[in-house]
Structure formats: structure tokens, C-alpha cells
Amino acid sequence: MEKEVVYVVSDSVGETAEFVVKAVATQFNGGSVDIRRNSYVEDAEDIEDVIVLASQNNKSVIAYTIVVSHLKEYLDRRAAEEGILAVDLLNPLMNAFEQKFHKEPNHQPGLMRKLDEEYFRKIEAIEFAVKYDDGRDPRGIIRSDIVLIGVSRTSKTPLSMYLAHKRYKVANVPLVPEVTPPDELFKVSRNKCIGLIISPDKLNEIRKERLRALGLTAQANYASFERILEELDYAEKIMKRVGCPVINVSNKAVEETASLILDLLKSGRRIT
């Protein structure tokens, strides 16, 4: 007795087609059908191999997700010639999209997987930025794509998160006179390290606002000009020692600074 077989054919991985076939198969006595996946078909020869196999079994079906037009046409023609039932799982919906939305499909295989990979790269970068925020673990400096250094309130964390959404792994390190910078900071390539500076007046304004938001007195040492000048002077010395490019963030939005950072990484220029 011939076994019921569904040949899943795809010009990509074929996961979508296999999932659909399994969902349908469960509606027929628990889905005992034999599913055989044929992934990454690239030419007529690949399709011909499946046609030969399917033609040898009267209880076989071909279910396919092929978006490359000439491959789809070839499979349809050969299946018809051999009397094989071939089911296109994508084309009916693609046609509906074309008619209703007035758009043309790309006819490019693997786009779904590419989107998935991009998504997971972004999630990985965001998790990295959280884990290595504010100098929590110096090991992140070596593993990062970008290292941001600067005194407190120079937008290191917002910048890290913004760049993470663009799939860059970012670590940031606060520069504080009382805390020796981690050794890793002086071992990484200066091209991926960015120093962030800010004017004393602007930093004073930001820190006072921060203290007010926390319900603390604006006269605290954290916002005093003397302390700010001390921190900025210390930060400048560290940045010179690292030899990294420096960006003045005084009057820049996060998006603007991020754009400058990416330009720096690509060109290797220095900017202030």
C-alpha cells in the first residue's frame, strides 16, 4: 500500500510550507502523512528531482512556497504534465495583495528569514546595552561595537539604546574622578570609542533638573560648577589618553548625536 506523502518544496527554508501542511494534516486522522521537505530549490534540476519522486507515488502531493516566477512556472508545468497535484501556498494571497493594495511583490526568496534575523539582532543589541550600561561590567567594552564614555548626564544611556535599535552593541562607561577607568577601555580600538563632552552651563542646568526630579536640593555637589569643571577636566584627560573621537552633545538631540557617531565609525574622522 502506497504511503501518503506531501513533498514540501521551497526556494527558501520551507518552514512556512511545512507548518501549513502539518496544520492541514492534523485535520485528517491526526496527520499521519509523510512530509518530506525540499529546501532552497534554485533551478529546474532541483524541481525535477521532486517531480520524479512524486510521479512514482499516486498518493503524493506537492505543496510549495516558491516566489521566483520562472521556478514556479516550471513546477506548475511539470506537475501538470505528470498528473501530480501541486498546491501553491503563497500565490493566492500574493495575488490578493497585488489587487487590493496595488503593489508588486519582490519575488525574492528568504525575506521572511532575513526579517527574523534583523529582529533578533536588534533584541540582542538592546539586551547588550542594558547589560553593559553605566560601566556595570567592563567585559562588555571588548565585545561591543561602540563604546561611549563621558561624565554623568551626557546622554550615554539614551544613545546606547537608540544605537541598539539600529542593531549596534553599545557599552557605556561613566568617567568619574574618584573611579579609575577599567583597563579594557585602553585596550579597545580607538575607532570604536566615542567621547561625549558637554558645556559646563548645560550640564549644570541638566543636573539641577535631575536633582529636582529626585526631590533633592539643587545645591548638591553633583550640580555645583566646581564639581562639574573637575569632572569635565578629568574626562578630557581620559579621552585624550584613549585617543578617541569626541562629540560635544551640548545642543544636540540624541538622534543627531547618534548620526554623528555612525558617521565617525564609517569615516574614521574626528569631530567636536
Side-chain angles (χ1 to χ4, degrees):
M1 182 177 177
E2 290 183 319
K3 187 173 180 60
E4 298 166 339
V5 180
V6 177
Y7 292 94
V8 170
V9 183
S10 176
D11 46 18
S12 184
V13 181
E15 291 176 334
T16 301
E18 184 172 353
F19 182 82
V20 172
V21 169
K22 285 181 178 178
V24 172
T26 58
Q27 300 298 317
F28 297 87
N29 300 321
S32 60
V33 65
D34 184 10
I35 300 174
R36 301 179 186 178
R37 191 198 294 187
N38 298 266
S39 304
Y40 300 111
V41 298
E42 297 180 340
D43 50 37
E45 186 176 348
D46 291 335
I47 292 175
E48 199 61 38
D49 291 340
V50 180
I51 293 293
V52 171
L53 291 171
S55 65
Q56 296 171 357
N57 185 346
N58 290 325
K59 287 190 175 182
S60 65
V61 174
I62 295 176
Y64 69 88
T65 52
I66 294 180
V67 296
V68 178
S69 299
H70 73 274
L71 293 179
K72 167 184 162 45
E73 291 167 4
Y74 184 85
L75 192 155
D76 286 340
R77 178 172 60 81
R78 289 293 292 121
E81 290 172 353
E82 298 295 333
I84 303 167
L85 178 59
V87 181
D88 186 339
L89 301 178
L90 293 182
N91 205 55
L93 188 55
M94 287 177 68
N95 286 339
F97 271 50
E98 285 187 74
Q99 294 170 16
K100 199 67 179 179
F101 304 145
H102 307 292
K103 295 180 178 179
E104 288 290 327
N106 291 318
H107 295 294
Q108 181 180 342
L111 291 180
M112 185 68 178
R113 178 161 289 273
K114 183 178 180 180
L115 286 173
D116 287 344
E117 289 172 355
E118 291 293 307
Y119 172 77
F120 286 115
R121 281 180 58 197
K122 180 191 292 185
I123 296 302
E124 183 181 7
I126 292 172
E127 291 176 343
F128 187 96
V130 172
K131 182 176 182 178
Y132 298 110
D133 181 44
D134 207 30
R136 291 175 185 168
D137 186 341
R139 291 176 297 181
I141 295 173
I142 302 298
R143 295 178 52 210
S144 64
D145 299 317
I146 302 171
V147 182
L148 303 178
I149 60 175
V151 301
S152 173
R153 315 314 295 179
T154 48
S155 300
K156 294 187 301 299
T157 297
L159 277 167
S160 295
M161 296 307 298
Y162 184 90
L163 291 166
H165 277 81
K166 293 187 176 293
R167 298 177 298 282
Y168 289 93
K169 294 180 178 179
V170 186
N172 72 75
V173 180
L175 300 180
V176 184
E178 293 79 14
V179 180
T180 302
D183 292 338
E184 289 82 354
L185 185 59
F186 305 102
K187 296 177 182 178
V188 297
S189 169
R190 66 181 64 183
N191 293 327
K192 76 173 184 178
C193 187
I194 305 292
L196 304 175
I197 61 172
I198 189 171
S199 71
D201 289 338
K202 187 66 176 180
L203 185 56
N204 175 254
E205 178 185 331
I206 293 172
R207 288 190 173 184
K208 282 183 176 180
E209 185 59 36
R210 176 62 176 165
L211 290 172
R212 280 193 288 268
L214 294 173
L216 302 173
T217 173
Q219 304 305 315
N221 186 50
Y222 176 70
S224 73
F225 258 97
E226 184 178 351
R227 173 61 181 182
I228 285 173
L229 291 173
E230 179 187 2
E231 289 187 29
L232 291 175
D233 181 63
Y234 174 76
E236 183 179 355
K237 291 177 181 177
I238 296 297
M239 292 173 194
K240 285 182 178 179
R241 181 180 167 191
V242 173
C244 63
V246 176
I247 296 176
N248 190 324
V249 302
S250 299
N251 298 299
K252 292 182 177 66
V254 168
E255 296 84 355
E256 183 182 1
T257 304
S259 179
L260 287 172
I261 289 171
L262 297 181
D263 287 344
L264 277 171
L265 293 177
K266 294 173 184 176
S267 67
R269 293 180 293 111
R270 300 176 67 89
I271 188 169
T272 58

